[in-house]
Amino acid sequence: MSTDWGHFCDEGRICVIVPTYNNERTIADVLQRIQVYTYNIIVVNDGSTPETLAAVRSLSEIPEIVDYTPNRGKGYALMQGFRRALELGYKYAITIDSDGQHFPEDIPLLLECFQRHKGALIVGSRNLTADNMPSKNTFANKFSNFWFHLQTGIDLEDTQSGYRLYPLENINLRWPITPRYEAELELLVFSAWRGVPVVSTPVRVYYPPEGERVSHFRPFWDFFRISVLNSVLTFGALLYYLPVKMLRCIFTK
């Protein structure tokens, strides 16, 4: 373990949350690489096959595990991880995917950004021109970035990155609009509406060749759900966020 970052995470009450769904081929490697920096890890097993859980339990240092069935979606998994983190006394949580596309070696980049922006929601911004980046991901991200700016007034390069550092006390855990992956956009928007600073820092990304990639992305239904969510959030911005923002400006002058 890197003593400096491990001590930093312990002192700052920072954990790493790893949601997983049928990532038995990659999750053990991801967890071992995270353990170089911290053992404060919570794995959320989102209704995976037994092989995934067996891979987690094969480690010499077994992390905290939140386990349930059936599969409920990434948004639900994140919420379960956040709740468990708070129960264990953590104040901040880094979220990282278990499919190997995120580099655990970039955890220090998020922590260094955290040192400069304590209390912020930090987003790991991927290079969207990287080799093997699926074209559908690039389009979906640009689409999402546009709506996020419309809903919050904030320019963010990568609103769909799941590699983030969350200030847990500022996360609304009561009623997510959706339990699936688009909940990450919801978390960004709601945090911005509550006045939480949203900042980004560059991180790397790896997409294996098409035949080796494990993806749970369903283009039609996922795009449909995120379109519905953006419609709801845009109405929310018009009816709630913009009026509140105007009142804040008036009373702070």
Side-chain angles (χ1 to χ4, degrees), residues 25-249:
R25 291 187 298 176
T26 55
I27 188 166
D29 176 66
V30 169
L31 293 173
Q32 287 174 327
R33 290 158 64 192
I34 294 171
Q35 288 176 341
V36 172
Y37 304 99
T38 181
Y39 289 121
N40 302 341
I41 304 171
I42 300 172
V43 173
V44 184
N45 182 35
D46 184 25
S48 301
T49 58
E51 290 79 8
T52 300
L53 197 55
V56 176
R57 288 179 170 155
S58 71
L59 299 175
S60 57
E61 293 286 344
I62 301 175
E64 178 77 17
I65 299 172
V66 177
D67 184 33
Y68 56 84
T69 57
N71 172 258
R72 301 290 294 272
K74 188 177 183 182
Y76 183 88
L78 287 174
M79 290 298 172
Q80 298 309 305
F82 293 153
R83 292 189 178 103
R84 185 59 180 146
L86 286 168
E87 289 172 359
L88 293 173
Y90 293 112
K91 295 183 64 177
Y92 303 92
I94 294 172
T95 58
I96 183 171
D97 291 348
S98 60
D99 60 2
Q101 70 163 281
H102 298 149
F103 285 76
E105 293 77 15
D106 288 343
I107 285 175
L109 298 178
L110 295 174
L111 295 176
E112 288 168 358
C113 188
F114 167 78
Q115 289 178 306
R116 299 191 300 271
H117 303 280
K118 287 189 177 178
L121 196 165
I122 299 166
V123 180
S125 180
R126 301 164 296 174
N127 177 8
L128 298 180
T129 62
D131 292 342
N132 295 324
M133 172 68 76
S135 58
K136 63 179 180 286
N137 290 49
T138 303
F139 171 77
N141 198 57
K142 290 180 179 178
F143 179 82
S144 180
N145 294 350
F146 167 79
W147 285 105
F148 179 73
H149 176 76
L150 187 68
Q151 293 151 4
T152 66
I154 299 172
D155 285 317
L156 203 62
E157 296 177 356
D158 191 1
T159 52
Q160 291 200 320
S161 172
Y163 205 175
R164 302 177 179 179
L165 189 152
Y166 288 93
L168 294 174
E169 293 175 350
N170 291 319
I171 300 301
N172 186 344
L173 300 178
R174 291 191 297 272
W175 56 281
I177 292 175
T178 171
R180 299 203 173 271
Y181 90 98
E182 61 271 21
E184 291 177 306
L185 175 61
E186 174 191 342
L187 286 165
L188 275 182
V189 173
F190 284 174
S191 295
W193 286 359
R194 298 179 72 180
V196 178
V198 179
V199 299
S200 64
T201 189
V203 295
R204 293 170 292 173
V205 64
Y206 170 70
Y207 278 97
E210 192 66 37
E212 301 176 14
R213 187 177 304 142
V214 176
S215 175
H216 306 295
F217 182 76
R218 297 177 299 171
F220 175 79
W221 287 112
D222 288 342
F223 189 76
F224 173 76
R225 285 203 311 272
I226 201 168
S227 297
V228 172
L229 175 62
N230 274 314
S231 298
V232 173
L233 292 174
T234 300
F235 277 111
L238 292 172
L239 297 176
Y240 166 74
Y241 174 64
L242 290 177
V244 169
K245 186 177 180 180
M246 290 178 63
L247 289 173
R248 285 176 182 165
C249 290

